[in-house]
Amino acid sequence: MPQREFRHVSIIGDGGMGSVLAMLLCEKAIVVRMWGYDAAQLAEIEGRRENTKFLPGYRLPGALVFEPRDDHAMAGADLIVSAVPCQYMRRVWNRLKAHVPSSVPIVSVAKGIENGTLLRPTQILADVLGEDVPTAVLSGPTIADELARRLPATACAASEDESLAVRIQQTFTCPWLRVYTNPDVVGVELAGAMKNVIAIAAGIIDGVRAGDNAKAALLARGLAEISRLGLAMGATEQTFAGLTGLGDLVTTCISPSGRNRSFGERIGRGQSLAAAQGATDSVVEGIATCESVVSLASKYNVEMPIARAVYEVLFENKPVRSAIEDLMTRRLKAE
């Protein structure tokens, strides 16, 4: 029997990605309900029919339902989208867990690794809601602004349950978004998280005007670091050469609107961590993820010199030029 798309979707989170996915799903005549942690902010978005804070310039569909009440957030849903930044997921889902419908799958679009626990987004969901909750990931090179403009893009639906991945694929595929499936949840989530750390380094390269040769080297060696840690944690090597690995890494490292790259560029120009962070309302996931990645590298005994250099610049006040010099003068070896 052919799989069918989900028809009633609740989006938990009112950021840019949650908003643009709501636009896409409403376009397909799917019933969409959006919940936000701040009722006043959600009401402002509803009143303006525009997410001026996270996705300015795009009108939200009239069919989109805004739901501030926790106990109604997921009522009637056959799919739930978790569009909450990784470091806030535990707090949000602890608040909502009493209202999560049983057996309804949750697809995460967050990219990060929780500080302290070192858990990936789907692991956080399982930790808070229980192992029986079906989970999946939707990830890839999907800049919200470009999706809102209906520019062609691709993504990957990852789940150990192939039938769930296929249903998510069918639900989110549209003329401007092509979705593939992948059973490697570990690799897809790790690649999505770690590329933000490399993107901060790419921004630093832009900030100090180190040139395109340096950025090309950074992407290549950064992908090598991502792959090393991913393989040590049980991921599939092929994932890192695909959309959620190389594809997402390239987009994040070159896009002028990329939050992590732009943050890194401000660091490269000499701003402090606090000032560079304060220049945007959006969550720069790579900052917190950098701490988690360095901890995971130590735990799994994996060499990650670029991630370590970013950590030293952000949290140990190491001068950017010194960090670059140290990377360039490491012991010579085969690629």
Side-chain angles (χ1 to χ4, degrees):
M1 182 176 177
Q3 299 293 326
R4 59 181 179 81
E5 64 184 24
F6 294 99
R7 298 303 304 171
H8 294 81
V9 179
S10 285
I11 297 178
I12 304 302
D14 56 9
M17 185 54 65
S19 297
V20 80
L21 290 179
M23 293 167 62
L24 182 154
L25 294 174
C26 285
E27 183 88 4
K28 297 183 67 175
I30 291 172
V31 178
V32 184
R33 181 181 305 225
M34 175 182 283
W35 175 92
Y37 77 99
D38 183 336
Q41 178 174 289
L42 192 69
E44 181 179 341
I45 297 172
E46 181 177 17
R48 293 176 179 270
R49 283 285 155 180
E50 181 185 348
N51 194 333
T52 55
K53 187 174 183 181
F54 297 115
L55 194 67
Y58 301 99
R59 183 164 180 80
L60 296 174
L64 175 60
V65 176
F66 294 88
E67 180 53 73
R69 297 169 295 179
D70 295 2
D71 57 343
H72 285 66
M74 294 160 280
D78 55 9
L79 177 68
I80 299 165
V81 176
S82 178
V84 180
C86 183
Q87 305 305 326
Y88 298 97
M89 283 183 66
R90 184 174 298 275
R91 183 190 313 170
V92 166
W93 286 106
N94 269 320
R95 171 176 162 179
L96 294 176
K97 66 181 179 181
H99 310 295
V100 177
S102 61
S103 302
V104 174
I106 302 176
V107 57
S108 168
V109 296
K111 297 176 180 179
I113 300 168
E114 189 176 37
N115 292 152
T117 66
L118 305 183
L119 296 180
R120 296 175 281 106
T122 56
Q123 291 178 308
I124 299 170
L125 291 170
D127 195 39
V128 174
L129 303 176
E131 297 284 348
D132 293 337
V133 175
T135 58
V137 186
L138 183 65
S139 185
T142 49
I143 295 171
D145 176 75
E146 293 192 8
L147 285 179
R149 287 189 282 149
R150 302 185 181 187
L151 298 179
T154 52
C156 181
S159 176
E160 295 174 3
D161 180 346
E162 183 181 3
S163 64
L164 175 57
V166 169
R167 290 191 70 187
I168 292 169
Q169 176 188 45
Q170 293 176 341
T171 301
F172 288 94
T173 292
C174 69
W176 59 93
L177 179 63
R178 179 176 173 83
V179 181
Y180 293 79
T181 61
N182 189 334
D184 183 17
V185 176
V186 175
V188 167
E189 286 195 300
L190 287 176
M194 289 190 284
K195 58 91 184 178
N196 284 333
V197 179
I198 305 303
I200 291 175
I204 292 173
I205 290 291
D206 290 339
V208 299
R209 298 185 178 181
D212 292 336
N213 289 338
K215 183 176 270 192
L218 176 76
L219 265 66
R221 299 310 303 163
L223 185 61
E225 289 190 17
I226 291 171
S227 301
R228 277 200 299 269
L229 182 58
L231 292 176
M233 294 179 65
T236 303
E237 186 171 11
Q238 185 178 359
T239 297
F240 301 105
L243 289 174
T244 57
L246 177 61
D248 205 2
L249 177 67
V250 169
T251 296
T252 310
C253 289
I254 67 172
S255 172
S257 61
R259 293 171 306 206
N260 293 277
R261 192 213 60 81
S262 298
F263 164 81
E265 184 172 5
R266 292 190 290 273
I267 293 290
R269 289 177 176 172
Q271 290 190 18
S272 67
L273 172 62
Q277 216 172 345
T280 177
D281 289 327
S282 299
V283 176
V284 182
E285 283 277 24
I287 301 171
T289 300
C290 185
E291 295 186 75
S292 295
V293 167
V294 168
S295 296
L296 285 172
S298 176
K299 178 180 179 179
Y300 287 91
N301 195 29
V302 173
E303 190 177 30
M304 300 188 73
I306 296 172
R308 165 58 66 177
V310 173
Y311 180 88
E312 291 171 348
V313 168
L314 296 185
F315 302 109
E316 296 181 353
N317 297 315
K318 186 170 188 174
V320 167
R321 293 289 182 184
S322 297
I324 294 173
E325 182 179 351
D326 288 349
L327 285 172
M328 291 299 293
T329 57
R330 294 176 66 244
R331 180 179 60 84
L332 297 176
K333 61 178 184 178
E335 185 181 26

